[in-house]
Amino acid sequence: MWLDRFSGHSTPAGSPPPPQNRSLSPAPRRSSHLAPNALSQRPGYSPRNSSLSLPYNGSASSLSTASRIPNGSALKQSMTTTPPTSDIPDPFKVLAGLVGAPLKDSESNGRKLDQARLIDRPPELWDGEDFEGHSLQELAKLHISDSLDRQVEKRRFSTQSIDEYGVENTKFEDLHRSILACDEVLRSVETYLTSFQTDLGVVSAEIETLQSRSTSLNTKLENRKTVEKLLGPAVEDISISPAVVKKISDGPIDEQWMKALGEVEVRSKAVETKAQVQGKVKAVEDIKPLLENLTNRAIERIRDFLVAQIKALRSPSGNAQILQQQAFLKHKDLYVFIARHSPKLAEELQQAYINTMRWYYLNHFTRYSKALEKIKLHIIDKNEMLGQDDAVRRGNIMQSSKPGGPPHDAFNLGRRIDLVKTSNQTALTSYVAEEDKSTHYLEVPFRNFNLALVDNASSEYAFLTEFFSPSSFHQVSRKFVEIFEPTFTLGRSLTRQLIDNTVDCLGVLLCVRLNQHFAFELQRRKVPTVDSYVNGTNMLLWPRFQMVMDMHCQSIRRATASISGRSGGSALSLMGGDSSKQSAAPHFLTQKFGQFLQGILALSSEAGDDEPVSSSLGRLVSDFEALLAKLGKGFGEAKKRERFLFNNYSLILTIISDTNGKLAEEQKAHLISLTHTHSEER
């Protein structure tokens, strides 16, 4: 029978005998759970998706107790102690089903014996076996050799694995604990990564929200930039910063305040222009009240500032020119602002300034004129006429109660002409004038007063023109005259006081030339408003000059008349002796006349034809020639008379020889002709 042959099959040489508890079933035998492949499928261990997972569990607790029993003991114990389970199919029945014939009783008896040797196997291994059309004998032949080899190999590996496990038990336990620790770490990492993934999702959502908001803000920004390009200039034209408002309202008036005021002025003009061009615009209507209030506040502060500066001009120690430069002209735009926004207030400030400066100049020039009056002057009165004899003049001075003063020569110009030619344009101060102990001629106080007046008038006119720039030329001229009219009156009074009681013809002519020099200087400085004063002074000086010249002519005529009315002896006494002692030397009056003529010609080197000097001088020369002719008649001899006249005319010609000018050339030519007429050769 093939079953006996299957059970009695000999094993190959060198192979261990099959175990006694091996099942005789032809189905593939289930491998032992102690085999190596059994270790890779340990029950109770769930592999993880971690790189630290192992194919088997090294813990000793995961191994069954049977794995520690020597080979074959578990099978025997199972046969002796463990009863067969009821859910295991009967192999003989399975075999009978496969063969298709019932078994004999002997086989049934043997079945009981073999049943005790069966190894515990799951019943599902035997359900639905498919031999693919092979018979049992063919299947046994095909698999018998392979099964025996596998069983031998499995037994060898099982025994070897158990031995190795016993040796490496401690390592497996450490490895198991490490795996558990790694499991905990990986579990915490997994938790952290899960939380991080959740947070990352939240952050990603927030980033998307921020990105959308950023896109929206960029769009709004571009729109605002576009709108700003269009509305920026318009808003800038009418807007005023709070700093400007605070500066105008409470800040000190300085350069920064002026800049803020200029900005307010620009905004006001822009608002007025927009209101006229565009009509009613809400932004313009809103800004108008603020601009009006700010403008009113600026006007109020400017008014207080200018009033304070005008009051400072009345200070006794104040200098008007310094205040004008540092306080007024530095802030001249303030008055322009007031004149534009409040003309009535501007006129009031003008009048206040005019009244103050009129008082200022009148007060200071009154003090200055009084200081000049203290200067000692040479007294030249009617006793010092050209035809007056020196002896008679000295007798008159002795009879006069007034002191004669220091000696002087009223007919000699000398260095007095230096006042006209000097380049020094500085007037004496009041202190110097009061302390001066020397004696001067009348042109000295005249020059200093008028020089100071011209300087102050020029400065004031320049200030009025620049500070009151909105005013026209006629308005500025009217303001100037209103300021200086009292001072001009004072100057004319001083001039009249100096020339009314003097017969100093050279001094009066010097004043005329100085006045003309002042007129030229005023023209150079472009100050036409002082012309009235200059012309008024000329109207005082020229008549007085002509009057003094006429007085000299009358004195010469009186001397001539006295000679003609006398007897010959008396006439000869005028000549200095009787007929036997007659001398042809020049007369003493000729020396004075020559010096006087030289002074007038020197001061008239640039005189015009329209001046009264020429006519007055012609009369004087004619009268003196008549005097010399009368004196010459006193000589008995004609030759001596001609010599006398020649000597007198030659002396006069010599004295005036260094003079220049048209009038001087005419007089020199006339004298040359006279000398030729009365020369001895003729």
Coordinates of all heavy atoms in Angstrom, one line a residue, residues 62 78 86 105 112 164 225 229 243 328 359 365 439 441 495 553 673:
S62 N 7.6 38.3 23.8 CA 6.8 38.0 22.6 C 6.9 36.6 22.2 O 6.1 36.1 21.3 CB 7.1 38.9 21.5 OG 8.4 38.7 21.1
S78 N 2.5 17.9 23.5 CA 1.2 18.1 22.9 C 0.5 16.8 22.8 O -0.7 16.7 22.9 CB 1.3 18.8 21.6 OG 0.1 18.9 20.9
S86 N -11.6 19.5 18.9 CA -12.8 19.0 18.1 C -12.9 19.6 16.8 O -13.6 19.1 15.9 CB -14.1 19.2 18.9 OG -14.2 20.6 19.2
D105 N -11.1 -1.3 8.6 CA -11.1 -1.1 10.0 C -9.7 -1.0 10.6 O -9.4 -0.3 11.5 CB -11.8 -2.3 10.7 CG -13.3 -2.3 10.3 OD1 -13.8 -1.2 9.9 OD2 -13.9 -3.4 10.4
K112 N -6.6 6.1 14.9 CA -6.6 6.7 16.2 C -5.2 6.9 16.7 O -4.9 7.8 17.5 CB -7.3 5.7 17.2 CG -8.8 5.5 16.8 CD -9.5 4.5 17.7 CE -10.9 4.3 17.4 NZ -11.6 3.3 18.3
E164 N 20.7 30.7 18.8 CA 21.2 32.1 18.7 C 20.3 33.1 19.5 O 20.8 34.1 20.1 CB 21.1 32.6 17.2 CG 22.2 31.9 16.3 CD 22.0 32.3 14.9 OE1 21.1 33.0 14.6 OE2 22.9 31.8 14.1
K225 N -2.1 107.8 -6.0 CA -1.0 108.5 -6.7 C -1.5 109.3 -8.0 O -1.2 110.4 -8.2 CB 0.1 107.6 -7.1 CG 0.9 107.1 -5.9 CD 2.1 106.2 -6.4 CE 2.9 105.7 -5.2 NZ 4.0 104.8 -5.7
K229 N -1.5 113.3 -8.3 CA -0.9 114.1 -9.4 C -1.9 115.1 -9.9 O -1.5 116.2 -10.4 CB -0.5 113.1 -10.5 CG 0.7 112.3 -10.1 CD 1.1 111.3 -11.3 CE 2.3 110.5 -10.9 NZ 2.6 109.6 -12.0
A243 N 1.8 125.1 10.9 CA 3.0 125.8 11.3 C 3.0 127.3 10.9 O 3.4 128.2 11.6 CB 4.3 125.1 10.8
F328 N 12.9 149.1 9.6 CA 11.9 149.4 8.6 C 12.2 148.7 7.2 O 11.4 148.0 6.7 CB 11.8 150.9 8.4 CG 11.1 151.6 9.6 CD1 11.8 152.1 10.6 CD2 9.7 151.7 9.6 CE1 11.2 152.8 11.7 CE2 9.1 152.4 10.6 CZ 9.8 152.9 11.7
W359 N 9.2 166.0 13.4 CA 9.7 166.4 14.8 C 11.2 166.0 14.9 O 11.9 166.8 15.5 CB 8.9 165.7 15.8 CG 9.4 165.8 17.2 CD1 9.2 166.9 18.1 CD2 10.4 164.9 17.9 NE1 9.9 166.7 19.2 CE2 10.7 165.5 19.1 CE3 10.9 163.7 17.5 CZ2 11.5 164.9 20.0 CZ3 11.8 163.1 18.4 CH2 12.1 163.7 19.6
F365 N 18.1 169.3 14.0 CA 18.7 170.4 13.3 C 18.6 171.7 14.1 O 19.4 172.6 13.9 CB 18.1 170.6 11.9 CG 18.7 169.7 10.9 CD1 18.1 168.4 10.6 CD2 19.9 170.0 10.3 CE1 18.7 167.6 9.6 CE2 20.5 169.2 9.4 CZ 19.9 168.0 9.0
T439 N 38.2 181.1 15.1 CA 37.3 182.0 14.4 C 37.2 181.7 12.9 O 38.3 181.5 12.3 CB 37.8 183.5 14.6 OG1 37.9 183.7 16.0 CG2 36.8 184.5 14.0
Y441 N 34.9 182.2 9.0 CA 34.1 183.0 8.2 C 32.7 182.4 8.1 O 32.4 181.3 8.5 CB 34.7 183.2 6.8 CG 36.0 184.1 6.8 CD1 37.2 183.4 6.9 CD2 35.9 185.5 6.8 CE1 38.4 184.2 6.9 CE2 37.1 186.2 6.8 CZ 38.3 185.6 6.9 OH 39.5 186.3 6.9
T495 N 20.7 180.8 7.1 CA 21.4 181.5 6.0 C 21.1 183.0 6.1 O 22.1 183.8 5.9 CB 20.9 180.9 4.7 OG1 21.2 179.5 4.7 CG2 21.7 181.6 3.5
C553 N 30.6 199.2 -4.9 CA 30.6 200.2 -6.0 C 30.3 201.6 -5.4 O 31.0 202.6 -5.8 CB 29.6 199.8 -7.0 SG 30.1 198.3 -7.9
S673 N 44.6 195.3 -22.3 CA 44.4 196.4 -23.2 C 44.7 197.8 -22.5 O 45.2 198.7 -23.1 CB 43.0 196.4 -23.8 OG 42.0 196.5 -22.8

